[in-house]
């Protein structure tokens, strides 16, 4: 008798149920097999963490009788009526790398061990990472976008959970991914929790992709991990009802005389701070002033001070305008969730055990939350963010939809990293969490740039730093 230990489980994921292709080459490397099935790899090893699960329940009908009289019948019968879709979940690390084979004779392309899963989350087919579907690999980065996700059905994959100690292998057939949650708790490595459902769960024994390099592409052991501690986050908010104004331009009203070098330009008043500008001098005269930083918080135009440069007499006026303001936050944790709203259809015929037949997508949802300490005294910090929200909601013209941007660099600004860009997001008012160190939590929901039609709520970008030769 052999036991099946979870630590000895290998997960293999494939777009096909037989004739698996897992051999990398110098021309295609580890690229996804195209929809025509003529090039690329269709079966991958996906390393998982402890805590994975898969199970299938069922529906029953309970028939009871209850009658009067001296000897009433009081029994019941139960019938199985339908199998539920198979529920499965597992967690992976974020593992980018540079595929030296994937660029053929040219340069390496950026890749990730979990790229097949991302493609299944956002598209109905694979297409060799050419940019036509879901995932795009290039020498610059690996990009996951949602432009091809406006479909009724997403790509179906087969999931093989193989236990090497017992030799048992369970296959989830025609599985679809419903959600992916990216966790970037700063004390750990970046992880993704995947959840989905499938049509069937069967034990397949030896009828499985068994040989690395032939039946499936083994996960590269040297692929990068991403350290959450290095993560950065930038929010851009346009709170029309708040006083979050910026300096949009400076106009020279008098050029002055005698300037032999560039004078210094400074701003005072206007209730704001942080604005910066540089002057241009020609023929001893200040001819232009260029704004290099708009600053924030200006409720009125500040006074322009022009000093130095050995000249005098130059004057200028500033124009302040409400607009998008950037907040650079030192996050302490958070998560991002991508959800497809999957629903399954199961017949309801009498006298048989009905099987799940098909799935369809629901509302696509991109949402998340960020936490950071409540800090003050710095430009564009969490105190400023909270104050600007409160000023907006109590103003005469509050925003009903707070349309902002969110850029999260998990692992920092340089490779290896994973960047998530949400170009349009609705933000809720940050909540205050009282603990030893007071924090704020910021929640957001991604929106389309064109309502109900553009499918561009988020873009995910991977960059690897380690080069991997998959067919070495």
């Amino acid at each position: 008798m052999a036991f099946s230990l979870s630590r000895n489980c290998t997960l293999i994921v494939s777009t096909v149920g037989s004739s698996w292709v897992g051999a990398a080459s110098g021309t295609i490397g580890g690229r996804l097999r195209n929809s025509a099935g003529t090039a690329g790899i269709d079966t991958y090893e996906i390393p998982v963490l402890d805590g994975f699960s898969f199970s299938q329940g069922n529906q029953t009908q309970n028939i009871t009788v209850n009658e009067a009289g001296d000897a009433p019948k009081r029994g019941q019968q139960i019938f199985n009526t339908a199998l539920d879709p198979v529920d499965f979940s597992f967690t992976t690390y974020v593992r980018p790398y540079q595929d030296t084979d994937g660029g053929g004779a040219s340069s390496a392309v950026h890749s990730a061990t979990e790229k097949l899963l991302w493609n299944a989350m956002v598209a109905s087919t694979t297409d060799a990472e050419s940019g036509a579907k879901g995932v795009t690999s290039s020498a610059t980065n690996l990009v996951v976008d949602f432009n091809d996700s406006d479909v009724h059905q997403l790509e179906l994959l087969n999931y093989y959970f193989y236990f090497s100690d017992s030799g048992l292998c369970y296959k989830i057939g025609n599985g679809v991914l419903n959600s992916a949650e990216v966790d970037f708790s700063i004390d750990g490595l970046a992880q993704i929790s995947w959840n989905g459902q499938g049509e069937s769960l069967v034990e397949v024994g030896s009828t499985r992709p068994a040989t690395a390099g032939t039946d499936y592409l083994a996960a590269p052991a040297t692929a990068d991990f991403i350290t959450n501690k290095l993560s950065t986050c930038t929010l851009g908010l346009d709170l029309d009802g708040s006083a979050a104004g910026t300096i949009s331009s400076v106009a020279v009203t008098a050029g002055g005389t005698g300037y032999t070098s560039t004078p210094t330009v400074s701003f005072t008043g206007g209730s704001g701070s942080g604005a910066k500008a540089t002057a241009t001098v020609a023929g001893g005269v200040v001819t232009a002033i260029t704004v290099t930083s708009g600053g924030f918080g200006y409720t009125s135009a500040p006074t322009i001070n022009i000093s130095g440069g050995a000249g005098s007499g130059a004057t200028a006026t500033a124009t302040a305008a409400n607009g998008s303001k950037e907040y650079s936050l030192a996050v302490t944790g958070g998560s991002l969730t991508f959800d497809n709203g999957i629903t399954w259809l199961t017949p309801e015929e009498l006298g048989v055990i009905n099987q799940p037949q098909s799935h369809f997508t629901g509302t696509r949802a991109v949402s998340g939350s960020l936490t950071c300490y409540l800090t003050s005294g710095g430009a564009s910090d969490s105190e400023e963010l909270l104050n600007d929200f409160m000023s907006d909601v109590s103003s005469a013209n509050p925003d009903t939809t707070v349309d902002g941007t969110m850029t999260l660099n998990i692992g920092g600004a340089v490779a290896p990293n994973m960047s998530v860009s949400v170009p349009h997001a609705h933000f809720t008012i940050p909540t205050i969490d009282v603990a030893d160190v007071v924090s704020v939590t910021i929640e957001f929901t991604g929106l389309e740039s064109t309502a109900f039609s553009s499918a561009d709520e988020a873009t995910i970008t991977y960059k690897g730093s380690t080069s991997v030769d998959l067919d070495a």
Side-chain angles (χ1 to χ4, degrees):
M1 181 178 68
F3 292 100
S4 299
L5 303 183
S6 62
R7 63 169 288 106
N8 294 324
C9 180
T10 300
L11 174 59
I12 309 297
V13 183
S14 180
T15 62
V16 296
S18 61
S19 302
W20 307 281
V21 177
S25 76
T27 57
I28 60 170
R31 288 187 173 229
L32 300 178
R33 197 165 183 81
N34 61 23
S35 54
T38 56
I41 300 212
D42 56 29
T43 308
Y44 294 79
E45 177 189 9
I46 306 293
V48 298
L49 282 65
D50 189 23
F52 66 89
S53 67
F54 56 94
S55 63
Q56 185 172 32
N58 66 289
Q59 299 296 312
T60 61
Q61 180 183 15
N62 189 356
I63 299 177
T64 63
V65 294
N66 186 15
E67 60 183 8
D70 294 334
K73 302 294 189 296
R74 301 175 53 238
Q76 64 176 327
Q77 288 198 353
I78 299 178
F79 303 90
N80 290 326
T81 59
L83 289 176
D84 294 329
V86 183
D87 288 315
F88 64 89
S89 64
F90 54 88
T91 301
T92 66
Y93 285 119
V94 180
R95 299 293 304 273
Y97 63 93
Q98 293 189 36
D99 180 357
T100 59
D101 302 312
S106 58
S107 60
V109 298
H110 291 264
S111 189
T113 58
E114 63 274 15
K115 66 182 173 182
L116 177 60
L117 302 178
W118 277 120
N119 197 87
M121 272 291 299
V122 301
S124 58
T125 63
T126 56
D127 206 356
E129 302 172 71
S130 64
K133 298 292 180 184
V135 174
T136 307
S137 285
S138 70
T140 304
N141 50 37
L142 171 72
V143 176
V144 182
D145 63 48
F146 292 79
N147 294 332
D148 297 298
S149 64
D150 275 347
V151 293
H152 291 299
Q153 294 186 321
L154 294 167
E155 182 177 26
L156 297 175
L157 300 176
N158 296 297
Y159 296 81
Y160 298 85
F161 289 86
Y162 172 64
F163 297 89
S164 59
D165 41 17
S166 64
L168 296 177
C169 183
Y170 291 93
K171 173 188 174 183
I172 300 172
N174 289 334
V176 61
L177 285 172
N178 184 44
S179 67
E181 180 178 339
V182 181
D183 177 83
F184 49 94
S185 174
I186 64 170
D187 292 328
L189 301 171
Q191 301 179 6
I192 307 173
S193 297
W194 309 88
N195 290 273
Q197 296 85 35
E199 287 185 7
S200 61
L201 175 63
V202 295
E203 183 186 342
V204 295
S206 60
T207 310
R208 60 181 175 84
T211 306
T214 302
D215 296 331
Y216 67 89
L217 181 67
T222 56
D224 299 308
F225 291 97
I226 292 179
T227 303
N228 289 334
K229 193 80 170 181
L230 303 175
S231 301
T232 62
C233 180
T234 302
L235 306 182
L237 299 179
D238 185 2
L239 297 169
D240 292 334
S242 75
T246 62
I247 303 304
S248 58
S249 63
V250 174
V252 176
T253 53
T257 59
Y259 291 95
T260 59
S261 61
T262 303
T264 299
V265 180
S266 60
F267 300 79
T268 56
S271 300
S273 62
K276 298 178 182 179
T278 58
T280 300
V281 174
V285 176
V286 175
T287 58
I289 294 178
T290 303
V291 176
T292 58
S293 174
F296 58 90
Y298 290 95
T299 58
S300 60
T303 300
I304 306 297
N305 305 302
I306 303 173
S307 60
S312 63
T315 58
T317 57
T319 299
N322 283 338
S324 182
K325 173 181 173 181
E326 283 195 351
Y327 305 84
S328 297
L329 304 177
V331 296
T332 57
S335 63
L336 298 167
T337 301
F338 307 87
D339 193 286
N340 283 315
I342 299 295
T343 301
W344 281 82
L345 299 176
T346 302
E348 298 180 0
E349 292 181 337
L350 298 177
V352 299
I353 299 179
N354 293 281
Q355 309 283 331
Q357 295 298 310
S358 184
H359 78 278
F360 60 89
T361 56
T363 300
R364 180 181 50 248
V366 177
S367 60
S369 65
L370 310 169
T371 59
C372 61
Y373 292 129
L374 179 59
T375 58
S376 62
S380 302
D381 57 14
S382 57
E383 180 206 17
E384 289 284 343
L385 175 65
L386 183 60
N387 288 343
D388 288 345
F389 263 99
M390 300 309 295
S391 296
D392 178 72
V393 297
S394 61
S395 70
N397 183 34
D399 292 282
T400 55
T401 296
V402 180
D403 187 1
T405 65
M406 192 279 296
T407 301
L408 177 66
N409 292 315
I410 303 175
V414 298
N417 68 351
M418 176 188 189
S419 177
V420 181
S421 174
V422 181
H424 292 274
H426 171 71
F427 290 85
T428 61
I429 298 174
T431 58
I432 298 176
D433 305 311
V434 178
D436 290 340
V437 181
V438 179
S439 300
V440 293
T441 298
I442 306 155
E443 296 184 347
F444 65 90
T445 300
L447 304 173
E448 295 172 294
S449 58
T450 303
F452 309 120
S453 63
S454 55
D456 57 357
E457 291 94 335
T459 301
I460 304 165
T461 304
Y462 280 68
K463 287 186 178 181
S465 63
T466 302
S467 296
V468 177
D469 185 357
L470 296 171
D471 64 349

